[in-house]
Amino acid sequence: MKKTIIPFLAIMFVFSLNFADPIENAVAAEPIKVGAVLNFTGPAAMLGPLFKNGIVMAFEEHNNQIAGRPLELIVEDGATDATTCLEKVRKLVERDKVKIIIGPLMGDAHVAIAPYIKNKKVLITTLYCGTLDMAKDRNWLIYPTTLVGLTVPVGWYAHDSGHRTMVMITSDYAGGHGFMNGVRLGFEQKGGKIVQEVFVPVGTADFGPYISTLKDADCVSFFVPNTGESSRLITQYREFGVKMPLYGTTLASDLPEPVMKELGDKVIGLQGQAAYVWSRDDPINNKWVAAMKKRFGQIPGGLESNSYAITSTILTALESTGGDESFDKLWPAAVKVKLNTPQGKLSYTPDGVAITDGYIVEAKVKDGMYVWDPIKVYPQVLDPRIKK
Amino acid sequence: MEQFVINMLNGLSYGMVLFLIASGMSIVMGAMNITNLAHGVLYMVGAYVGWTTAVKYGAPFVIGLVAGGLGAGIVGLVIERGFLRHLYKKPNEQVLLTFGFVYILTNLCLWVWGGWPRMPFTAKVLAGSIEIMGKTYPKARLATIIIGFVLAIILWWLQDRTRIGAMVRAGMDNKEMTMGLGINLERVFASVFFVASCIAGVAGVLGAQLLGVYNALGLEILLLALIVIIVGGVGSIQGALLGGLLIGVIDAFGKALFPRLAMFTMYFTMIVVLLLRPSGLLGRKA
């Protein structure tokens, strides 16, 4: 009996070595787990599915595998809440053993999870900017750039348009201050003067009392978070008949086309900054927009573009490490990634801050559609506080 | 002077929305001794139904108001008849149940209307602005003030000058005696809850002229309603009106004069009222 079994096992072993299906081998390989903390509930509930679409598209472009290892996406709901985000990040790291996390979105969540993530040596990304302080940890990929780097072109553009004095409406939290510090820096770099800064609490329902106190200036710039607050501010600004030109930040992501359509004439003529514009005529962008439209049935915006570019960075880095997701191998590979994304050319500083093009857009009606039309490009913008 | 007038109008228009939110909740608290924490989401349901009627299907704004009121009223009636009537005199269970409905209805709204906020909307005739003392002012805000005052008078008349109002007030003061007189208090309470929910829905549509409608609105509005009720006092239309207008005006002037303390002013008012008149400025005394 023993004599029969040993040769049989030996034959089986040889067969298993030589004739196994390579695809089955790949499937059997340990998956590369990528965590994502997105918002599917809470005030930013509408953003989670859009960010997820961008990640899924990048995965599918790589056939859901890298170096023969399958990619596994584990998505968690951050519930637009810093405490929940920290819980979900802990779950991803400790239970799911992920070494790569995409998100979360909000600055308060970044602050909550940063020490833990640094300690655990996890590569993590922002979904929409981050502070310069985070770059010191050297485990954050900060995309599309820092808060200040993103909005500094608004200040430049307002000055280039002939304005010399400005009033700023700033949402009174860390992110709001960061975005508007970029506008201030750009405007003052060129010699402009800020004559008033109005701080409004997060979640402001009625901007009327603030709008009625605005001082006279050549223009007004603003950042308030999310679609609801942005659209209320614009509506009430127009209703109160303020004539000063209005410059916005993070426009294309906060006010996508369906929202612009509902705002109607109130949004027309509004100018400001956008990280991504789907209507930009560029072969890579056109191809990506068509693929996204086919896959998800809707035109993509800045949120999908952000998560797609971030995920593409990670997957490209994983390719260069041969699928090794250990932090010490992956981080150096990630900050060396150079890509041509739908948003434009993308590279990173050694600290992980992305360098991308900055767009100034204007709300227009084109072919019966409300669109953000790119009217000026500031190539490869970097936070002026970072030395190249 | 013109700045003072504009701030006052801002305060009155916002205050009227606050009054309408709080009035229904206050009456339910006073008449039925029920703390309905789902009142804020009924406001949100009304706003969404009004938006669907007036914006999506292009019906006149007045129809949107009626639809919003009825929509919230029906949902409110289902909550009262289906669940709350089994929990009279059980305050802890009421709070848990109605807070549960906050999440259920919020998620149902998310499912039906999606996560994107809906823009402020109004009647065509109320769109745009007029000149007041050389300053441009939105017509919709003036309309909110007028409509709010009209509704306040109707609600006061219903509460203080009608037979059903007398039944409600009698029920507030002495339930057993009122039932002993042959009045079907359960039916009265169901009617009160329905009307209060309808007012929340109408408030949602009126408030959408200023605020639009979005998924987190239910909880945000609930907090404001509680502040107004604490300031104005439980169980009276006059109290809700005074509380709403006071908070609205203080909020508007606070934002204009001390913008960085804007979040503090209405809470400060509430603390002062709690210290000086714990039952509210015009609350019904037990």
Side-chain angles (χ1 to χ4, degrees):
Chain A
M1 182 68 181
K2 200 175 174 184
K3 281 182 183 173
T4 321
I5 286 173
I6 289 170
F8 176 74
L9 287 176
I11 291 165
M12 290 296 288
F13 177 70
V14 170
F15 267 80
S16 71
L17 283 179
N18 294 330
F19 305 110
D21 187 333
I23 295 171
E24 278 190 16
N25 254 354
V27 172
E30 188 75 12
I32 300 173
K33 292 180 180 176
V34 178
V37 181
L38 313 172
N39 296 320
F40 296 95
T41 53
M46 68 295 241
L47 309 183
L50 302 178
F51 280 124
K52 190 181 170 191
N53 288 351
I55 298 170
V56 169
M57 177 55 86
F59 269 48
E60 289 180 357
E61 280 184 0
H62 286 77
N63 294 320
N64 290 302
Q65 60 174 331
I66 296 283
R69 291 178 65 190
L71 293 167
E72 183 183 337
L73 178 65
I74 305 171
V75 180
E76 296 290 343
D77 178 13
T80 329
D81 174 68
T83 312
T84 309
C85 286
L86 179 58
E87 281 169 19
K88 296 300 172 75
V89 163
R90 280 177 182 274
K91 182 253 175 190
L92 285 170
V93 173
E94 289 166 24
R95 199 189 305 170
D96 299 320
K97 310 290 181 198
V98 304
K99 295 188 178 76
I100 305 158
I101 296 178
I102 298 167
L105 175 66
M106 306 293 284
D108 56 351
H110 295 164
V111 173
I113 66 175
Y116 175 79
I117 285 294
K118 187 183 179 189
N119 183 253
K120 293 287 179 184
K121 292 187 92 170
V122 171
L123 187 148
I124 189 160
T125 76
T126 65
L127 284 166
Y128 208 120
C129 298
T131 64
L132 194 54
D133 280 347
M134 290 157 67
K136 290 175 190 160
D137 286 353
R138 283 182 159 241
N139 66 333
W140 287 88
L141 289 177
I142 300 171
Y143 185 89
T145 182
T146 61
L147 300 161
V148 167
L150 193 76
T151 55
V152 77
V154 179
W156 295 336
Y157 181 75
H159 194 276
D160 291 346
S161 303
H163 305 310
R164 296 295 174 264
T165 54
M166 177 188 278
V167 169
M168 302 203 305
I169 300 172
T170 303
S171 188
D172 202 2
Y173 77 105
H177 286 245
F179 282 128
M180 292 312 288
N181 279 342
V183 179
R184 178 201 297 276
L185 192 62
F187 196 61
E188 289 180 345
Q189 260 185 352
K190 295 235 175 186
K193 188 182 176 192
I194 306 297
V195 296
Q196 183 189 15
E197 186 166 13
V198 180
F199 295 97
V200 296
V202 176
T204 295
D206 185 10
F207 290 95
Y210 298 109
I211 292 169
S212 58
T213 61
L214 296 181
K215 289 182 180 171
D216 284 335
D218 293 342
C219 64
V220 177
S221 64
F222 76 92
F223 170 80
V224 289
N226 70 53
T227 304
E229 283 186 55
S230 302
S231 52
R232 280 201 296 278
L233 174 60
I234 292 163
T235 302
Q236 292 167 10
Y237 189 87
R238 301 294 192 218
E239 282 176 349
F240 276 83
V242 186
K243 301 290 182 223
M244 292 181 277
L246 187 62
Y247 291 100
T249 54
T250 68
L251 286 176
S253 49
D254 282 347
L255 301 170
E257 278 79 7
V259 176
M260 293 173 79
K261 190 179 171 189
E262 217 176 301
L263 280 169
D265 291 344
K266 294 186 193 88
V267 77
I268 297 300
L270 179 66
Q271 294 182 339
Q273 169 273 334
Y276 169 78
V277 194
W278 71 267
S279 56
R280 189 174 67 93
D281 191 18
D282 168 82
I284 293 172
N285 182 45
N286 294 343
K287 189 180 164 193
W288 184 73
V289 169
M292 287 292 286
K293 209 173 161 186
K294 188 179 173 194
R295 174 68 175 82
F296 300 106
Q298 60 189 36
I299 294 169
L303 307 179
E304 295 98 319
S305 160
N306 278 13
S307 56
Y308 172 82
I310 290 161
T311 312
S312 298
T313 300
I314 292 166
L315 300 184
T316 307
L318 279 168
E319 274 175 344
S320 68
T321 64
D324 186 343
E325 80 259 52
S326 64
F327 181 81
D328 292 336
K329 292 274 173 58
L330 189 57
W331 174 258
V335 294
K336 281 183 191 146
V337 166
K338 291 188 193 316
L339 289 174
N340 279 314
T341 71
Q343 197 265 357
K345 282 184 183 172
L346 166 64
S347 60
Y348 291 87
T349 69
D351 291 339
V353 177
I355 305 170
T356 56
D357 291 342
Y359 298 98
I360 298 294
V361 294
E362 181 176 340
K364 292 178 181 171
V365 177
K366 277 187 167 180
D367 304 324
M369 279 182 71
Y370 285 84
V371 291
W372 290 111
D373 190 30
I375 53 176
K376 189 168 176 75
V377 183
Y378 289 92
Q380 300 297 282
V381 179
L382 185 59
D383 188 323
R385 299 168 299 171
I386 300 173
K387 288 174 187 169
K388 281 192 182 176
Chain B
M1 182 61 188
E2 64 268 25
Q3 196 61 48
F4 176 83
V5 172
I6 295 296
N7 282 332
M8 183 58 79
L9 289 173
N10 283 334
L12 290 176
S13 57
Y14 192 46
M16 274 304 171
V17 176
L18 296 179
F19 153 66
L20 288 169
I21 298 161
S23 57
M25 190 174 179
S26 175
I27 292 296
V28 166
M29 279 174 116
M32 302 167 68
N33 208 16
I34 285 178
T35 307
N36 177 22
L37 297 184
H39 197 78
V41 282
L42 292 173
Y43 170 97
M44 183 174 73
V45 167
Y48 270 125
V49 172
W51 176 87
T52 305
T53 313
V55 178
K56 192 171 180 189
Y57 293 112
F61 185 71
V62 178
I63 304 292
L65 271 175
V66 174
L70 280 177
I74 291 165
V75 174
L77 196 60
V78 169
I79 293 174
E80 199 278 334
R81 288 289 86 191
F83 304 90
L84 267 177
R85 74 185 171 115
H86 305 295
L87 298 175
Y88 287 154
K89 296 186 180 171
K90 292 180 182 172
N92 293 341
E93 286 83 349
Q94 290 167 9
V95 167
L96 285 173
L97 176 84
T98 53
F99 202 63
F101 271 108
V102 172
Y103 286 103
I104 292 168
L105 291 174
T106 299
N107 277 292
L108 277 175
C109 287
L110 186 65
W111 183 51
V112 175
W113 284 282
W116 289 107
R118 307 299 173 181
M119 301 307 109
F121 61 95
T122 186
K124 277 180 189 160
V125 69
L126 298 179
S129 310
I130 58 168
E131 290 281 319
I132 296 177
M133 300 174 78
K135 292 258 184 184
T136 306
Y137 200 78
K139 283 193 270 184
R141 286 178 184 250
L142 293 173
T144 304
I145 298 172
I146 295 164
I147 296 169
F149 269 118
V150 171
L151 284 173
I153 291 167
I154 292 171
L155 290 172
W156 166 79
W157 176 78
L158 273 173
Q159 183 186 258
D160 284 10
R161 292 285 184 272
T162 63
R163 185 176 155 76
I164 181 86
M167 287 181 194
V168 172
R169 282 181 286 123
M172 280 190 210
D173 292 336
N174 193 327
K175 282 192 178 65
E176 285 73 21
M177 184 69 82
T178 311
M179 290 169 80
L181 291 170
I183 293 169
N184 185 345
L185 258 190
E186 195 169 317
R187 192 176 291 173
V188 172
F189 284 170
S191 309
V192 168
F193 204 91
F194 175 72
V195 171
S197 305
C198 287
I199 296 168
V202 169
V205 185
L206 275 179
Q209 295 182 108
L210 272 68
L211 316 177
V213 52
Y214 48 98
N215 201 251
L217 193 57
L219 270 176
E220 288 177 19
I221 287 295
L222 174 67
L223 187 62
L224 294 172
L226 288 172
I227 294 171
V228 170
I229 290 170
I230 289 168
V231 171
V234 174
S236 85
I237 294 296
Q238 297 93 315
L241 182 63
L242 181 63
L245 293 184
L246 193 63
I247 291 292
V249 169
I250 286 173
D251 183 61
F253 278 94
K255 283 173 175 171
L257 300 175
F258 321 104
R260 297 206 81 166
L261 296 175
M263 287 186 84
F264 174 69
T265 49
M266 65 169 75
Y267 296 103
F268 181 71
T269 310
M270 184 183 76
I271 291 166
V272 169
V273 170
L274 272 175
L275 287 172
L276 299 178
R277 283 184 70 92
S279 60
L281 295 175
L282 295 176
R284 288 172 66 89
K285 291 194 175 82

